[in-house]
Amino acid sequence: MRRASDEPPLDPAVPALLAKVGRYPQHHGGLGVVRTLGRAGVTVHAVVEDRLTPVALSRHVSRAFVRPTTGLEGPDALLAAFLAIGRSVGAPCVPVPTDDEAAILIAEHADVLSEYFLLPPVPAGLPRLLAGKASLHALCEGLGVGSPRSRAPADRDELVDAGRELGFPVVLKNRDAWTRLHAPAVGGIIAVRDERDLLLRFPPGALPPVLVQEYIPREAAEDWITHLYCGAGGEPRVVFTGLKLRSWPPHAGVTTRAVALGNPVLAELAADLCRRIGYSGVADLDWRYDGRDGRYKLVDFNPRAGAQFRLFETVRAVDVVRALHLDLTGRDVPAGPQVDGRVFVAGHLDLPSVASWLREERRLPPPLLPVAGVERAWLSAEDPLPAVAEAVRFLGAVARRIGRDARALLE
């Protein structure tokens, strides 16, 4: 059993800020950020949509800054909001972004924000490049890193050509950060079966920024994740690997169940990539192992804390967010292997993913017995209010959806 003395002491004099852009009040990743730092004795502030979000009700949040945003605001307005928060905190603060837009904003305005915030020395334009699906694919091709074949069509003719070249089904994604909020091409990651379905989704006229990607068959694939924190120059301080078991929506959405599983080959792939590009900060990478050619292919590089980052910690109780705070406050990030066998469960979101599995496979998912504990996205005996708030919001959303469907049937 790990002793409290094994855990590295974080600097309690340096507060942290959960930083976000956009409206997503039911986000368990943000809750994970405030819990992991608050439990380590760090004063945690948070940007929230309202005072009744799950994060705002956490006992580990010292101050909730109600700053509802949509991502449609100009960068000057968003920058001004972060500067005002920094002045209000009144001490050097470590921001932890949980969305690509916040990570990009912070990196591209680090020269101004560094007056109030402690920031990793990431090259200013790198987070935007990594968060963009087309630019990430081009980077991978240039570096010889595995990546699914992808195309970024400029018009409908190129859209048709992309589908025919890659072969159906194909996967559609929003191409860039920011545009996914103010000009989304699709509501999320989706697969289209044929050319007719593809064209029906995009009427004649200007094509929104979309990425068309090859579909790697599920029967030939495994979904892997790597979370890591890199210091100056892209040198990894901690690297974690795990296997994604289920997601919602199925096969393309947020992780609902995953297991921490050491994969030295994948860990070195991720670490080597970050060294070569000089990435510094927390990162969440999604990979797909393609059994057809035996390669791991990078699907997404999120330059911020991932929603399921609490799946991973070392034997010294270091996760990527704690590593960030330790490093930026001048403390050592203690070395140590990851704890294998930990299981992450995203509560109610895992139920529909199980139902989808049952419908598709005609059997229940194989049982998974955690050997090193379960990390639950919402439930916590010492911090119960966020789970209550999430349940209320979730049930409200379900009720509204049922009401809309009922009205549609009556019309």
Side-chain angles (χ1 to χ4, degrees):
M1 179 179 294
R2 187 177 62 225
R3 299 167 299 175
S5 59
D6 293 331
E7 300 185 7
L10 276 66
D11 190 344
V14 180
L17 174 72
L18 173 65
K20 61 191 300 185
V21 172
R23 183 168 180 79
Y24 52 103
Q26 295 164 263
H27 186 252
H28 51 264
L31 182 61
V33 169
V34 302
R35 281 176 171 170
T36 192
L37 292 175
R39 289 166 179 162
V42 174
T43 299
V44 185
H45 308 288
V47 176
V48 298
E49 291 82 354
D50 60 69
R51 297 199 178 278
L52 296 179
T53 66
V55 164
L57 295 175
S58 172
R59 67 187 295 265
H60 296 292
V61 171
S62 175
R63 184 175 177 186
F65 290 92
V66 179
R67 301 290 190 276
T69 59
T70 63
L72 304 182
E73 302 83 0
D76 289 345
L78 295 170
L79 179 60
F82 277 111
L83 289 172
I85 292 172
R87 285 191 291 270
S88 183
V89 171
C93 182
V94 175
V96 185
T98 52
D99 56 78
D100 294 342
E101 287 75 17
I104 291 169
L105 183 80
I106 291 171
E108 292 181 349
H109 297 88
D111 55 337
V112 177
L113 290 168
S114 60
E115 181 178 357
Y116 302 103
F117 298 99
L118 300 177
L119 305 173
V122 64
L126 190 56
R128 185 183 290 269
L129 183 148
L130 296 170
K133 309 307 181 189
S135 53
L136 175 64
H137 176 68
L139 177 69
C140 289
E141 284 195 317
L143 295 175
V145 175
S147 176
R149 293 180 300 142
S150 303
R151 299 292 178 268
D155 53 40
R156 285 184 105 222
D157 289 340
E158 291 187 5
L159 179 70
V160 171
D161 290 343
R164 293 174 179 175
E165 177 186 352
L166 298 177
F168 290 95
V170 293
V171 176
L172 302 182
K173 299 179 177 180
N174 288 301
R175 193 182 67 205
D176 303 308
W178 298 105
T179 58
R180 71 186 181 100
L181 299 178
H182 64 74
V186 288
I189 301 173
I190 61 171
V192 294
R193 297 169 297 175
D194 51 39
E195 188 172 304
R196 179 177 178 275
D197 186 16
L198 182 64
L199 291 175
L200 285 175
R201 293 180 179 275
F202 301 102
L207 194 68
V210 65
L211 184 84
V212 185
Q213 195 171 78
E214 73 167 316
Y215 175 80
I216 300 175
R218 292 202 307 275
E219 59 271 16
E222 291 178 341
D223 291 320
W224 286 82
I225 47 182
T226 55
H227 288 225
L228 66 168
Y229 171 73
C230 297
E235 187 57 35
R237 298 286 194 267
V238 289
V239 184
F240 301 101
T241 61
L243 184 62
K244 182 185 293 190
L245 303 175
R246 291 196 291 274
S247 59
W248 184 256
H251 318 300
V254 299
T255 301
T256 63
R257 185 173 288 260
V259 60
L261 191 61
N263 184 329
V265 172
L266 185 58
E268 183 52 36
L269 278 176
D272 182 63
L273 172 61
C274 289
R275 289 190 195 97
R276 294 169 70 185
I277 63 178
Y279 179 79
S280 178
V282 174
D284 165 20
L285 284 65
D286 289 336
W287 303 80
R288 197 149 220 219
Y289 175 75
D290 190 343
R292 299 172 302 178
D293 58 14
R295 299 186 72 193
Y296 290 98
K297 298 181 178 180
L298 184 58
V299 178
D300 288 307
F301 190 121
N302 302 303
R304 39 78 178 176
Q308 71 280 2
F309 82 92
R310 279 297 303 149
L311 167 65
F312 302 112
E313 62 178 33
T314 70
V315 294
R316 296 292 304 278
V318 176
D319 57 31
V320 292
V321 171
R322 289 188 175 189
L324 168 74
H325 195 278
L326 286 165
D327 194 40
L328 294 185
T329 56
R331 300 197 170 199
D332 291 334
V333 180
Q338 76 173 46
V339 179
D340 279 344
R342 282 170 58 85
V343 171
F344 178 86
V345 181
H348 54 275
L349 290 180
D350 198 38
L351 297 178
S353 69
V354 169
S356 175
W357 176 289
L358 182 60
R359 184 174 61 252
E360 293 179 5
E361 304 292 333
R362 305 293 182 183
R363 60 186 176 90
L364 286 171
L368 176 65
L369 300 177
V371 298
V374 176
E375 181 74 23
R376 300 191 182 278
W378 296 104
L379 292 176
S380 170
E382 54 87 36
D383 188 28
L385 285 182
V388 175
E390 164 60 14
V392 170
R393 286 179 181 254
F394 178 75
L395 292 175
V398 171
R400 288 191 294 273
R401 176 63 180 269
I402 292 174
R404 286 196 300 269
D405 292 347
R407 286 193 296 273
L409 289 174
L410 293 174
E411 291 177 356

